[in-house]
Amino acid sequence: MSDELESGGEGLLSPPHTHQRTILHLDADCFYAQVEMVRQPELRDKPLGIKQKNLVVTCNYVARSQGVKKCMWLKEAMEVLPELVLVDGSDLTHYRHFSTQISGVAQSLTHRVERLSLDENFIDVTDLVDEYMNATGSSDIEGHVFGDKEPVSMDLVDPCGCGCRERLVAGSLVAKQLREQILKETGITVCAGIAHNKLLAKLVSGYHKPNQQTVVFPWQVHNVMNSLPAARSIPGIGSTTFSILKDLGISTVQELQDVPLKLLRTKFDSETCSRLKEVSNGIDETSVKKSGKAQSVGLEDAFTKVNSVAEVKVKYQILLERLLKLLKEDGRVPVSIRVSVRKFDLAKRFGHRETRQTSIPSSLFPDGVNNVGENTRSSLMKTVMGLFQKMVDTSKDFHLTLVGVAFNKLIERVREGKDISSFFGKRTREETTETLMSYYHREGRFMGERRGRGERGRGASNFYYDRRVDNHGEDVFLVGKPREYRQDPPIVQPLGVIGCFSVDEDRTFGHDRTLLKFIEPQYLTREGKTKVNIDLNRGWGKNSPYTAMGENSSLNLYQWILNNSETLVDSDDTPTRLDVDFICMRRCLIQIMKMPYNVKERWAMQAEYFRGTIYLVCYASPEDLEQRKSEPPYMKKIAMWGHKFEQIMTGGDPDEGVCANEEFRCVLKVKVDNFSCLLAPEVDCADPELFEEDFKDLSSFITVKCNREVDTADAFKVECFRKFMLNKWWAQNKLSGIPRVVVGFRTEEGQIYRLENYDTDELPTLAKGLWEPRVSLNILTSFLAFVKKMIMEAPEAVHRFERQSPIVIRHSIVPSVRGAAEGPIKVLPDWYREQLFSPLDQE
Ligand code: DCP
Ligand code: MG
Ligand code: MG
């Protein structure tokens, strides 16, 4: 996807287009010039131009009335108007300050404010409008309506009837008041556009200038869009996209509206296509994204010619010094640096920009950004020059007209984990996460519930909660507090089983259900507990261990997809796209769902985009793999007990060996909010009474767990069990639609005397006060949206998402691994890329 297109994702995935929202777009009048006029009132009535180098970047309306225009060459402007008063505008400090003030006024009205540029803001005033209408009833419109030169009265016909007219009228009043407030507090006049979406609000805000406002009603959308001189005038269609469109013979908005999707799809991925179609029709469901501080700070220097490395170095050094000052004002720590150049192409008489970026190790700012030491400075300079060398071949002649540096990702300083486990003290021991359910049934509560919530966890919880999490830096996903995910849960629902496969003792893939096992009915008692006497050590010497690595499971899923791609394709329209947004192992999604409650677990995932679908796999670093190999023997024993337990529960002969390699998996499509995900969860066994051959859901399936018996007198263990184990089991079953779990509680010696049965839906109740399903589901959808956004910004790359601390998940682009040997570092194997859809491609 082209990077000018906002890839928030909502626009493509959201439900029917409605006019329920009311959005304002504000744009300050001749912004830099006004700031200077506020600072020096004697300039007010004079024609004023703001110059940067030899350009007049803006001018006040007095100057505009006398023929000076924005972005005129200085020389030309002085010819047009010799009396033009000039102020140098190369220092942006004051403009930034006023910009913050203006957004601040809007933010005092609502937190739904998105800063678009120094002088522009989107504000979602939907809620305010509702309040306003309740308080005042109907009233007259303020300002202009699109298409009218003068303010109009309210006898406008309303062909819609959804209430949007009243809302937008109220929106015009809110806009008027807000503009007055901004003027009062900052001395700056602004224009406003009022519409039911961001796109239209932005398009009409400049319709009447300066210091005026314009409403557009939904039924005028066609007129607004078709009044634009070219498709390039649509916000979101940048020069790159437009030049591709022109190659396709599309330049007007009408042409874009009319072009067959098929033709667009030859140049853009399907999401960009739909987005282009939508914006051309004035449709824009993207939400107003709350802005924290600016996501980047950057500086550039433009000139006619620089052609030696020494000069370049000096330019970058000066920029970097100034940038470090800005950084100090900002207070946040950069995690990524971006270097840009503009190369001048003599033949084409044309400059084109290139940028390169890289992450900055947090060790460079050990004490934050207040006092940046010499070492850090020189290390940053080295990075800058390194990136520069990647763009410019300095062994040949070069001609640059601009250099720039930006810290493009900033985060609030995270108190980097000394060692997180130190906050947990003894509690980090894995074995403590086991306990007893029957206590709950007997007592109707858990011991932990009696205690005040604040009593425990000083260390752990505060470490976690103290963090600022409102700053969503571009490529860092910050895990919020559970309460931040308490909005209504998204729909998470299996859409249907579309297949299954079995993997045998040699890890050979079988396209059948031979390895599906059925549970022995006597173990399915629904009331309380079942007494049993199971020895997990029987047949011990005959067992054969698990030989694969977990990651290999996704390879089996890819194999299944190759065999079944026709059942998965989108439609006849796009036979080369699978009809799923994500393909991943269930484990990936569970790791995400557990995050708000599990501050300890670290993980990494890798993702790749291929033909319209994102492939997400858990990534095991070489160190992880090494560690797994050297797992202590008792861990292996516990894992084998789990397999043995399954064998016994499904009627196997306990004196026979169990084969840990064997597994049965269902291929399942799951709806997670607006995304569809293809998963291949392992299914332990089925209830023979309920199982039907042509099942479309997993309702006859049962998850089987073997868990260490616990001492109910230890409230901490009880709480750990409820917090972590129940959460994990619930997440596993919830994602795959498995309704039940049977738990066998074992002794230290591997004896099971007691089974318990739980319904998946009952697990949250058993864990009340410790975790909530909606929190897990909400973080899952927001994380998937983040993954998607990051990937669509660089669809060709392999992406990595890494949980680096309890709250920071860092995104990075993996240096090219395509063509690398198959292994965990790769997401998609070459054989899959080559074979998927290959017969169709050859046509
Ligand atoms: N700006 C700049 N270089 C550009 C374009 C803009 O430095 N190529 C700066 C100067 C402007 C400010 O950004 O004051 C805001 O840009 P606008 O396009 O909103 O222009 P103005 O606010 O100056 O004028 P208008 O009244 O038309 O909005
Ligand atoms: Mg402006
Ligand atoms: Mg502007």
Side-chain angles (χ1 to χ4, degrees), residues 552-616:
N552 290 10
S553 297
S554 40
L555 300 182
N556 287 324
L557 174 58
Y558 301 154
Q559 183 60 55
W560 184 91
I561 295 171
L562 285 185
N563 296 355
N564 296 277
S565 60
E566 76 286 353
T567 61
L568 271 170
V569 292
D570 205 346
S571 65
D572 294 345
D573 206 25
T574 50
T576 54
R577 185 195 183 278
L578 300 178
D579 187 21
V580 284
D581 300 308
F582 286 89
I583 293 179
C584 51
M585 300 311 282
R586 184 175 60 175
R587 187 151 57 100
C588 291
L589 304 189
I590 291 168
Q591 280 176 338
I592 301 162
M593 292 167 77
K594 290 192 298 191
M595 284 196 297
Y597 301 110
N598 187 330
V599 296
K600 195 181 68 167
E601 190 174 68
R602 301 296 174 85
W603 48 252
M605 296 178 192
Q606 286 196 172
E608 217 177 318
Y609 180 79
F610 181 53
R611 304 264 181 121
T613 299
I614 294 167
Y615 294 77
L616 190 64

Side-chain angles (χ1 to χ4, degrees), residues 27-28 117 119-120:
D27 187 321
S117 70
D119 83 328
E120 287 171 61

